Amino acid sequence: MGRGPVDRSLPCGCHGLAWAGAAALESRQAGPRMTVVLVHGGLWEDMDAERFWARPGVVAALEARGVPVLAPDRLPHPRSWADEVAHLLPLLPDEPVTLVGGSNGCSVAARIAVEHPDRVGRLVLAWPASAGDSEIDTLYLAAGVPPELLAGETLRGLSDVELAQLRLPVAVLPGPADRYHQRSTVDALLALIAGAVELAASPEPPRPEFPPYAASVADSLLR
């Protein structure tokens, strides 16, 4: 598997559907849909876009709906979230995109939205990984994860103040709650981010039970 972007896109469009009530995006609602950029999960582990998004069928389901899709690989062993942003930002189209973060990919997706709001038309935080669990952080540290990657409040790599300052349409897609993806994280994001909406829950794409959900997740991402 290469570490370059999985680019199966149609010609890129920058104007897309906004979630209901997002008046700031009304001028973008005519014309082709925004490119969907899928940021896979994982944190210092053997994970890439092929395993997280392509094999489980999310890329194909979005393409079947006529949407331009990019699924770049994240850095496998970054030293900081700034490294991740610097790696991914040049891979984004110049036009605003629908940026979808999965699990720990929510952190880099949200950092891009905070630091470069002109590049993001919509943000989806899917199966957000929970921060601040000391037992899980201990396991990550033992695996060599730099402490800087674990720091944060509701999401790793961000303060709650930064999340609360987001002024773009945001949706949160929960999964079945577990120690790594706690329901309290979903609830906190919905409370912190003005206007954030909750999408229908599904398992994470790499899980064996996910494939039947690919079509419904694709529909949710395009709401």
Side-chain angles (χ1 to χ4, degrees):
M1 296 170 197
R3 286 286 169 187
V6 177
D7 182 354
R8 305 175 182 181
S9 62
L10 300 172
C12 292
C14 63
H15 305 294
L17 300 177
W19 282 297
L25 293 184
E26 285 180 358
S27 63
R28 297 180 185 163
Q29 290 184 350
R33 289 177 174 177
M34 287 185 286
T35 298
V36 176
V37 179
L38 303 171
V39 182
H40 66 82
L43 190 63
W44 272 55
E45 61 187 273
D46 182 21
M47 182 57 67
D48 58 17
E50 178 70 19
R51 288 178 57 198
F52 200 97
W53 299 116
R55 288 186 204 169
V58 178
V59 173
L62 288 167
E63 290 177 338
R65 287 153 178 76
V67 181
V69 182
L70 290 170
D73 285 333
R74 291 167 55 201
L75 290 173
H77 295 102
R79 303 304 305 181
S80 68
W81 293 109
D83 288 347
E84 292 234 41
V85 171
H87 169 72
L88 287 179
L89 193 65
L91 305 179
L92 270 59
D94 291 335
E95 301 85 1
V97 300
T98 295
L99 188 59
V100 181
S103 190
N104 277 296
C106 290
S107 291
V108 63
R111 281 244 57 91
I112 290 172
V114 165
E115 296 175 9
H116 305 277
D118 57 312
R119 307 293 293 277
V120 183
R122 296 182 292 168
L123 177 66
V124 182
L125 303 173
W127 319 285
S130 298
D133 187 301
S134 60
E135 291 185 20
I136 291 175
D137 286 352
T138 297
L139 294 175
Y140 275 127
L141 290 169
V145 176
E148 184 176 349
L149 289 175
L150 302 177
E153 294 186 85
T154 299
L155 291 182
R156 295 186 177 99
L158 296 110
S159 69
D160 285 353
V161 169
E162 289 176 308
L163 290 171
Q165 290 173 347
L166 286 170
R167 293 294 181 267
L168 72 162
V170 177
V172 184
L173 195 162
D178 59 29
R179 190 67 178 273
Y180 290 86
H181 308 86
Q182 299 169 23
R183 175 66 208 191
S184 59
T185 301
V186 172
D187 292 337
L189 290 170
L190 292 170
L192 279 168
I193 304 171
V197 299
E198 181 173 354
L199 303 179
S202 83
E204 280 188 280
R207 299 185 64 84
E209 63 268 30
F210 176 81
Y213 292 85
S216 61
V217 165
D219 288 336
S220 289
L221 299 181
L222 300 177
R223 279 184 55 187

